[in-house]
Amino acid sequence: MQIDTFGIYVRAELDHWGFEFALHRDVEYLGYASRSVLQMLIDHRGEMPELSKGYKPLETDSRAQKIEDIVTAISRTHRSMAICLRGYYCARGRRRVERYETALMLLTNAGEPVMSATAYLDLSRRGEERVRGILEGLAMAA
């Protein structure tokens, strides 16, 4: 009996992607002040520092960005599958309950038909297999 190490790798990469692109973290980088002016004056000993010019771009991990690019490519041909992958890996809570509800909300917002929990889990599994196929193709090419 052989252990499917590449399948374990794919699931680990998808879990890492889900952590980096977590849906509940969407509002963390919107530019809300994390420090008040008073705290800034305290930190700089009473002097106001000069304002930074421009915005710092949002940084993402290259491993997670590779999976995000793959899921984006999947969404061009099969939007429901990509949404189910996002719900399954990027949402919070139990996979069959809260993450399913998040996937339903994403499907509704995208104008896609609502599906049962069994169909959601099946589509997530098939999406995982498609990501695996693309990663295998990338590994063969390298």
Side-chain angles (χ1 to χ4, degrees):
M1 181 175 159
Q2 290 185 339
I3 297 175
D4 182 20
T5 55
F6 197 78
I8 294 169
Y9 163 74
V10 169
R11 281 187 290 285
E13 289 297 299
L14 283 166
D15 284 334
H16 178 70
W17 166 71
F19 176 76
E20 289 292 321
F21 284 86
L23 296 172
H24 64 274
R25 293 174 48 195
D26 276 348
V27 294
E28 285 184 4
Y29 56 88
L30 291 179
Y32 295 113
S34 59
R35 299 179 341 172
S36 66
V37 173
L38 180 60
Q39 182 63 45
M40 193 179 307
L41 288 171
I42 291 169
D43 290 346
H44 289 61
R45 298 190 175 103
E47 294 183 18
M48 193 69 169
E50 95 179 38
L51 297 174
S52 62
K53 299 188 173 51
Y55 294 100
K56 180 182 175 195
L58 180 64
E59 296 176 1
T60 59
D61 184 26
S62 62
R63 287 173 46 206
Q65 187 62 46
K66 180 179 6 174
I67 301 297
E68 175 65 21
D69 294 341
I70 291 170
V71 173
T72 301
I74 290 172
S75 73
R76 291 187 184 113
T77 58
H78 201 306
R79 184 185 293 175
S80 297
M81 184 181 288
I83 289 172
C84 287
L85 277 172
R86 285 190 195 284
Y88 193 82
Y89 286 101
C90 297
R92 272 194 209 178
R94 295 170 290 179
R95 294 191 193 263
R96 278 193 76 117
V97 182
E98 290 88 4
R99 294 183 187 205
Y100 168 62
E101 291 171 358
T102 302
L104 287 181
M105 182 189 66
L106 293 172
L107 285 166
T108 304
N109 288 342
E112 295 290 319
V114 176
M115 59 183 65
S116 67
T118 309
Y120 152 75
L121 291 172
D122 182 54
L123 210 51
S124 299
R125 182 188 53 77
R126 290 190 310 161
E128 183 181 316
E129 290 171 359
R130 188 175 288 189
V131 170
R132 177 187 174 135
I134 294 171
L135 286 175
E136 282 177 344
L138 291 174
M140 296 284 228

